[in-house]
Structures are given as structure tokens and as C-alpha cells.
């Protein structure tokens, strides 16, 4: 079987998700260190105030908030490199 022929897209998704989480964690942890604080630089976007749908007996609240940092981008790159080599 050729290399990469049986790769699963779920594995890539999980690796990228792990890369985002670990990269964001490292960026947050190093934000107090002066020469590594650039890892926590990023942009935050989403719905600032949640949308509330009141149906009488059921209240639904919708909101989305995403913060992308340099650390999470590096985590995504490392995850995709790992995916291509396994």
C-alpha cells in the first residue's frame, strides 16, 4: 500500500485540534516571558453579545468566540507536518 493511502481525515482533524489547544496553552503560559510573549499575539473575533432565543419553556443562547494566536498557528503547522509523516 502506498504511503498515506489509508489516512483518515478524522485523524487530521484531531491532530489539528490538539495542535490548536497545545499551541494556545503554550502561548498563554509564555505570555509573561518577555522574549516569548510574541507567541500570545493574536486576534479575537466572534459574537460579542450572545443571541438569546426565548421559546417560553426553553431558552437557547447562541454565541461564538474564537481567539487565534501565533502559538496556535504554529501548533496547526506542527500537527499537519506530523500527520504527513505518520
Amino acid at each position: 500500500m502506498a504511503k498515506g493511502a489509508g489516512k483518515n481525515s478524522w485523524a487530521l482533524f484531531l491532530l489539528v485540534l490538539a495542535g490548536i489547544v497545545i499551541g494556545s496553552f503554550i502561548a498563554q503560559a509564555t505570555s509573561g516571558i518577555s522574549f516569548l510573549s510574541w507567541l500570545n499575539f493574536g486576534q479575537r473575533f466572534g459574537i460579542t453579545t450572545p443571541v438569546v432565543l426565548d421559546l417560553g419553556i426553553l431558552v437557547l443562547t447562541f454565541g461564538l468566540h474564537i481567539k487565534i494566536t501565533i502559538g496556535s498557528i504554529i501548533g496547526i503547522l506542527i500537527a499537519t507536518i506530523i500527520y504527513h509523516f505518520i
Side-chain angles (χ1 to χ4, degrees):
M1 183 181 297
K3 183 178 179 182
K7 289 189 177 180
N8 190 354
S9 60
W10 282 105
L12 176 62
F13 174 74
L14 290 176
L15 274 173
V16 168
L17 190 62
I20 291 170
V21 171
I22 293 170
S24 295
F25 174 75
I26 291 172
Q28 185 105 23
T30 59
S31 65
I33 303 171
S34 63
F35 65 94
L36 292 176
S37 62
W38 60 272
L39 287 172
N40 201 26
F41 178 76
Q43 185 67 32
R44 180 174 288 183
F45 59 92
I47 301 172
T48 56
T49 55
V51 177
V52 178
L53 177 62
D54 190 356
L55 300 174
I57 60 169
L58 180 66
V59 177
L60 298 172
T61 306
F62 300 101
L64 179 66
H65 198 345
I66 297 174
K67 180 179 180 185
I68 297 178
T69 63
I70 300 293
S72 63
I73 292 171
I74 292 172
I76 291 170
L77 292 175
I78 291 172
T80 55
I81 290 170
I82 289 172
Y83 177 75
H84 287 292
F85 283 114
I86 58 172

